[in-house]
Amino acid sequence: MTTSAAVPTGPKGAIAGRGTVTDRLVEANEQYAAAFSDPGMDARPVLHVAVVACMDARLDLHAALGLELGDCHTIRNAGGVVTDDVIRSLTISQRALGTRSVVLIHHTNCGLESLTEDFRHELEMEVGQRPAWAVESFRDVEQDVRQSMQRVRTSPFLPHTDDVRGFVFDVRSGLLREVDPT
């Protein structure tokens, strides 16, 4: 798999250089910046779309959706679920930066399918404080996509909710499967 932010690699794909992974990423950025030229883009996405997706490293969204730099806003979190913070980002995206469409992408074999809210309780026992956030785990990926679509469509903060579509990305085939919202 290739990504737009490829890190220099050595033999057998190992990350080249010395130091921590972050040091290596900074080194890669220096190489990137040496050839960089300001594309002169505005912060407003060219396609007026925001994509909400899981943070899973197997999802190369730009490649999978045929997107170029500047085409969309990309909002990622664990599971790609629509949380209050996602609504915050979508609200800014729509109201301040002109997006009108929302694409939601969950995926097969998601780590959130194997977690429960017990994760929060275990974390509380370990660190002595319960997180203020919910895990948002799920068992049925399609049902969770439907819930996410519903959260977007019913948010009073979002003026553009007529073009909200949800999908499941198959991590083995690379194909999107659209989820019927009903």
Side-chain angles (χ1 to χ4, degrees), residues 87 90-91 94-95 102 151-153 155-161:
I87 294 294
L90 287 172
T91 301
Q94 287 190 359
R95 291 183 176 268
V102 178
R151 286 178 177 175
V152 170
R153 288 185 173 136
S155 173
F157 306 109
L158 300 174
H160 307 291
T161 59

Side-chain angles (χ1 to χ4, degrees), residues 117-135:
E117 287 299 316
D118 287 341
F119 180 82
R120 288 179 70 223
H121 301 294
E122 293 164 6
L123 195 54
E124 178 182 15
M125 296 307 291
E126 180 183 329
V127 302
Q129 180 178 344
R130 178 175 284 181
W133 39 263
V135 175

Side-chain angles (χ1 to χ4, degrees), residues 60-103:
D60 184 348
L61 290 175
H62 276 73
L65 301 174
L67 296 169
E68 299 292 332
L69 183 67
D71 282 348
C72 72
H73 282 157
T74 305
I75 304 162
R76 295 181 81 155
N77 67 16
V81 297
V82 175
T83 61
D84 287 345
D85 196 56
V86 168
I87 294 294
R88 178 187 71 88
S89 294
L90 287 172
T91 301
I92 293 166
S93 179
Q94 287 190 359
R95 291 183 176 268
L97 297 167
T99 61
R100 302 183 70 79
S101 300
V102 178
V103 173

